Amino acid sequence: GRGNEDVVKNAGTYQLAITGTLTGATLAFQILGPDGTTYGNYPGLTLTTLPVIANVDLPVGAMVKMTVTGGTPTNLNSTLSWIR
């Protein structure tokens, strides 16, 4: 799957907003595991329909990304904003 990594600067709750059209694709919000190599899917955020707005709790320094597999997705956009 495709995906760009980002590092979480503050621990806490973030709002994740995703828009676009998946058209048969699956999008997964992922966090890097303790081995420093393997990404795992964040619970409840493996998606086949959009848009979505969800709150996610993340530790400081967490490496996160979204991956898309299959289908023909278009116009995918996302924001990850720190709430508290």
Side-chain angles (χ1 to χ4, degrees):
R2 301 175 295 272
N4 291 321
E5 301 170 332
D6 198 10
V7 177
V8 172
K9 296 184 182 23
N10 298 303
T13 302
Y14 286 75
Q15 183 179 75
L16 175 64
I18 311 166
T19 59
T21 305
L22 289 174
T23 315
T26 299
L27 182 145
F29 181 73
Q30 299 183 318
I31 186 168
L32 186 62
D35 65 0
T37 303
T38 308
Y39 278 85
N41 294 347
Y42 192 93
L45 286 175
T46 300
L47 309 166
T48 56
T49 60
L50 295 176
V52 69
I53 296 177
N55 288 346
V56 295
D57 292 316
L58 298 169
V60 68
M63 182 77 73
V64 296
K65 69 176 183 176
M66 285 186 279
T67 59
V68 179
T69 54
T72 53
T74 55
N75 300 317
L76 295 180
N77 296 286
S78 66
T79 59
L80 183 63
S81 305
W82 186 62
I83 298 172
R84 61 181 179 281

